[in-house]
Amino acid sequence: MTPPHTATGTAPVAGVDDGTPADADARRARVDVHHHYTAPEWIDWAEKNDVVRRENLPPWTRWDLASALALMDGAGIRTSVLTVAMLGRLQEPKIRKESARVALQSASDLCRAHPDRFAFYAPVFLDSPELSLWSARHGMDDLGAVGVSARTSVRGVYLGHPSQDAILAELDERSAVISTHPMEVPGGNAELEGVPPFLCDFLMDTTRAAVSLIVNGTLDRYPNLTFILPHGGGFLPYIADRVELFSHCLSPKVEAARVRDYLQRFYYDTAGPMSPSATPTLLSAVGPSRILYGSDWPPTPSHLVTGITAPALDHDQALDDDQRRRINRDNAHRLLPALATGSPRSS
């Protein structure tokens, strides 16, 4: 999640007067589809219920409104779509549902208080269809979530596995947007010593999930679903030719001619960041209309977002102004039209 130091400069600050109307400059009106939200209210609840101890949580879980707005203004982000985080290894269904209820209500309250700055995804849980359906219905129908978020894998079972059909079937009826996020690659002692999982494992976990959705026929069975792959889609855009070439080796086999069509079923966010060397490959694989801006804040610290990743996107020579505007704002408004209309969230 922490990006390399590959670019320099300062991100445009929202509202700076250089003679260009703010609504005409997408660098000042970015939509961030990759913003991690650990609700302070949830941490209070979790500590009270002996789920976590706040002093043991990673620093990026200490989310606060002032810091979020400062980051957004510094990076030219008009709207952030929150991925609602809940830590701990909860298994008891009742306490797990209460955990989700507290986190969802906090996200909804924040978005109602600041409807032009925040929206949120309702979390779904790959290992619990019952909890997922409740969370999706409550989050989207009652609280105004603009989509759902899901892990790319849980204990080695990847997104797209048939065990998730009940979840995906209902989301397909809703034509839902599913924002995905990886964790470390499952495998016990398979980690590489000295290498944090976000550097390599997250990209592989995302790639495996995308291929799982293809191989399991999920994209064919549920044509109304749209998936956002983080961190530029992991390795998927860069191995597209390889997937085509060896599609007959997959089980079940995949038509090589359809691989590029499947790639167009995904959106790809820029969290990572999208380096100048990677941009041409991603553009070639999926085109500018499938790329979304993502900050990955707060796991990626503010000074890296405002000083490195956002400026890298703004000064990427592989992009023209039209492509940059699509990535920063227009693609997200098309995908999540509630963000473009500014319609109030449900109460």
Side-chain angles (χ1 to χ4, degrees):
M1 287 184 287
T2 303
H5 292 246
T6 56
T8 59
T10 302
V13 179
V16 170
D17 185 7
D18 63 357
T20 303
D23 61 355
D25 186 351
R27 294 172 302 171
R28 302 179 189 173
R30 298 185 212 265
V31 175
D32 181 5
V33 301
H34 191 146
H35 180 123
H36 294 270
Y37 175 65
T38 308
E41 296 85 353
W42 181 87
I43 292 182
D44 292 342
W45 172 89
E47 194 164 53
K48 180 180 178 181
N49 287 273
D50 296 321
V51 173
V52 299
R53 295 184 64 84
R54 69 182 69 219
E55 63 267 23
N56 296 332
L57 293 173
W60 60 264
T61 62
R62 298 177 180 91
W63 192 99
D64 71 272
L65 178 59
S67 297
L69 291 174
L71 174 279
M72 291 165 64
D73 291 344
I77 298 167
R78 179 62 179 172
T79 307
S80 291
V81 188
L82 310 175
T83 298
V84 178
M86 290 164 283
L87 288 78
R89 303 293 182 182
L90 299 174
Q91 293 302 318
E92 202 281 316
K94 184 176 180 180
I95 195 79
R96 200 177 183 191
K97 184 176 181 179
E98 184 61 21
S99 171
R101 186 191 303 275
V102 171
L104 278 166
Q105 189 63 55
S106 178
S108 178
D109 290 346
L110 174 66
C111 294
R112 287 203 310 272
H114 304 274
D116 58 337
R117 302 309 303 272
F118 297 105
F120 74 101
Y121 305 115
V124 296
F125 309 87
L126 302 187
D127 58 344
S128 178
E130 181 179 0
L131 179 59
S132 294
L133 293 174
W134 173 84
S135 180
R137 291 165 184 167
H138 182 54
M140 299 179 76
D141 296 341
D142 303 329
L143 301 179
V146 297
V148 302
S149 61
R151 289 269 300 272
T152 46
S153 68
V154 172
R155 293 188 292 276
V157 177
Y158 278 89
L159 184 62
H161 188 273
S163 63
Q164 300 147 20
D165 279 356
I167 306 170
L168 297 177
E170 172 148 339
L171 294 176
D172 183 71
E173 291 180 4
R174 296 171 175 267
S175 297
V177 173
I178 303 176
S179 175
T180 68
H181 200 282
M183 293 296 288
E184 63 273 10
V185 173
N189 297 320
E191 66 269 13
L192 183 60
E193 185 177 357
V195 179
F198 64 76
L199 191 65
C200 300
D201 286 8
F202 282 19
L203 305 181
M204 177 56 74
D205 204 54
T206 298
T207 306
R208 287 182 172 185
V211 174
S212 171
L213 290 166
I214 295 171
V215 171
N216 283 300
T218 310
L219 301 181
D220 292 323
R221 289 197 309 281
Y222 306 116
N224 301 316
L225 293 178
T226 303
F227 296 88
I228 301 175
L229 301 180
H231 313 123
F235 304 125
L236 182 64
Y238 314 103
I239 63 168
D241 291 339
R242 188 177 181 86
V243 176
E244 284 181 318
L245 184 63
F246 296 109
S247 60
H248 63 284
C249 297
L250 299 172
S251 182
K253 296 179 180 179
V254 174
E255 288 183 57
R258 298 204 61 200
V259 169
R260 298 288 169 169
D261 294 334
Y262 288 133
L263 263 63
Q264 293 294 324
R265 286 290 303 280
F266 301 110
Y267 280 78
Y268 306 77
D269 81 34
T270 65
M274 206 167 77
S275 68
S277 60
T279 305
T281 301
L282 186 56
L283 288 172
S284 175
V286 302
S289 65
R290 310 299 291 189
I291 307 172
L292 304 165
Y293 175 75
S295 73
D296 209 351
W297 187 84
T300 298
S302 297
H303 71 280
L304 295 182
V305 175
T306 59
I308 294 178
T309 62
L313 177 63
D314 290 335
H315 300 125
D316 193 328
Q317 296 299 308
L319 298 171
D320 60 32
D321 289 343
D322 175 70
Q323 293 169 333
R324 223 181 312 274
R325 186 180 65 254
R326 294 192 201 183
I327 294 168
N328 278 325
R329 182 185 63 196
D330 293 356
N331 292 340
H333 282 180
R334 186 182 71 252
L335 179 63
L336 301 167
L339 304 183
T341 62
S343 58
R345 315 291 180 246
S346 299
S347 58

